[in-house]
Amino acid sequence: MYRQLLQSGVQVKIVGDSISAGSGSSDDNRSGPVILTIDGKDYKEQLGKKCWASLFGSYVRGLYPASRVVNRSCSRLNSTELRRNIHQFVGERDRLILLMIGANDRKQENGRECLEENVKYLLDYFARKEKSVLLMSYPPSTEANESQPNRFFHMDEVDRILEEAAASRHVSFISHYKLLHKYYREQRVTVEEMMMAGGGKRDGLHPPDLVHHLIFEQIVRFVENEST
């Protein structure tokens, strides 16, 4: 399905928070044109090339030149803010939505409930607008990051909530959380080793270049192999 969409020439919209916006990548450079203004704050286009969203954009330009990828991800975005501002994120021209949301909901005491409700609302909204959706979870974060006092629940629960929402709405889902855990076990490396690699200031949440590339590879593998 996704290959046929891309071959036909569509606009792909990436929607998410800082991990989709490019945080953690070594050339993170959000100094391009303003893409969104929410509650008085301007969010600018990512000019770096090494985050998963930029890599996917380059992949589509090279292999499916009739299609284009637009990234409208904003740091610190949670599912409630996305729901409230959904018309700014997704427009009529968008045909395929890559959605990664939920990490910042962990900072709310009622975040589980908010994420469960909001992601189903968003999937229903996209269905009404006749948009195809690929819902995705996050890479595993380190134990130190997960144990911060403002984490009211954890990435494994985000993964579960998103997977259950996707199943309930018959939407495709990529569990980067499970796939990367499997990859790390096979490579005999830890989450900490992967997430803290690459130098610079690392926080255990925002992935370095290698993890961004692994996310990109998993999306491409899914797009190329998914046949329903």
Side-chain angles (χ1 to χ4, degrees):
M1 178 180 72
Y2 297 114
R3 288 181 66 188
Q4 287 79 5
L5 273 176
L6 293 171
Q7 287 168 346
S8 69
V10 296
Q11 181 159 290
V12 182
K13 181 64 64 69
I14 296 175
V15 179
D17 51 36
S18 58
I19 293 176
S20 299
S23 288
S25 56
S26 62
D27 64 348
D28 181 8
N29 178 15
R30 280 165 279 175
S31 62
V34 173
I35 56 174
L36 285 169
T37 300
I38 300 176
D39 297 330
K41 179 176 175 56
D42 290 338
Y43 294 88
K44 297 184 178 182
E45 183 179 342
Q46 171 66 259
L47 300 181
K49 306 299 183 184
K50 295 183 178 180
C51 67
W52 73 259
S54 295
L55 290 168
F56 186 70
S58 296
Y59 157 80
V60 169
R61 284 195 302 275
L63 200 58
Y64 304 101
S67 292
R68 67 188 296 256
V69 176
V70 178
N71 189 359
R72 290 296 179 267
S73 300
C74 303
S75 292
R76 296 178 291 278
L77 185 72
N78 62 41
S79 67
T80 300
E81 293 166 330
L82 176 57
R83 175 176 176 173
R84 187 170 63 240
N85 296 282
I86 189 60
H87 295 94
Q88 291 193 63
F89 284 88
V90 176
E92 291 300 320
R93 295 179 60 192
D94 302 318
R95 183 66 183 84
L96 172 60
I97 312 299
L98 271 59
L99 177 62
M100 183 186 283
I101 195 68
N104 291 313
D105 290 69
R106 298 177 303 149
K107 301 175 184 178
Q108 303 169 258
E109 290 191 42
N110 64 339
R112 290 183 188 85
E113 295 76 17
C114 288
L115 181 58
E116 287 173 353
E117 178 182 345
N118 290 333
V119 72
K120 290 177 182 177
Y121 172 90
L122 292 166
L123 296 180
D124 289 342
Y125 174 87
F126 295 140
R128 290 195 304 272
K129 297 292 184 179
E130 299 182 332
K131 300 184 186 303
S132 298
V133 181
L134 176 54
L135 183 63
M136 301 182 291
S137 64
Y138 296 84
S141 52
T142 64
E143 183 177 346
N145 189 276
E146 292 275 34
S147 64
Q148 291 185 21
N150 67 343
R151 303 294 195 262
F152 292 99
F153 62 110
H154 302 293
M155 282 298 197
D156 61 335
E157 294 179 85
V158 174
D159 180 73
R160 175 189 60 79
I161 291 167
L162 297 179
E163 184 172 22
E164 290 177 356
S168 73
R169 298 309 193 261
H170 306 289
V171 166
S172 297
F173 177 68
I174 298 178
S175 175
H176 293 298
Y177 183 84
K178 291 186 180 72
L179 288 169
L180 286 173
H181 263 304
K182 180 177 183 291
Y183 174 83
Y184 298 164
R185 287 194 301 270
E186 292 172 347
Q187 299 299 313
R188 298 185 179 182
V189 295
T190 65
V191 172
E192 283 71 20
E193 289 171 326
M194 293 297 293
M195 292 297 286
M196 304 306 287
K201 184 179 180 181
R202 308 237 59 90
D203 60 6
L205 171 65
H206 297 101
D209 291 347
L210 176 56
V211 179
H212 270 289
H213 201 276
L214 291 170
I215 293 170
F216 158 69
E217 288 180 338
Q218 288 171 171
I219 297 169
V220 169
R221 192 174 300 118
F222 185 90
V223 166
E224 294 296 338
N225 294 330
E226 200 272 345
S227 59
T228 60

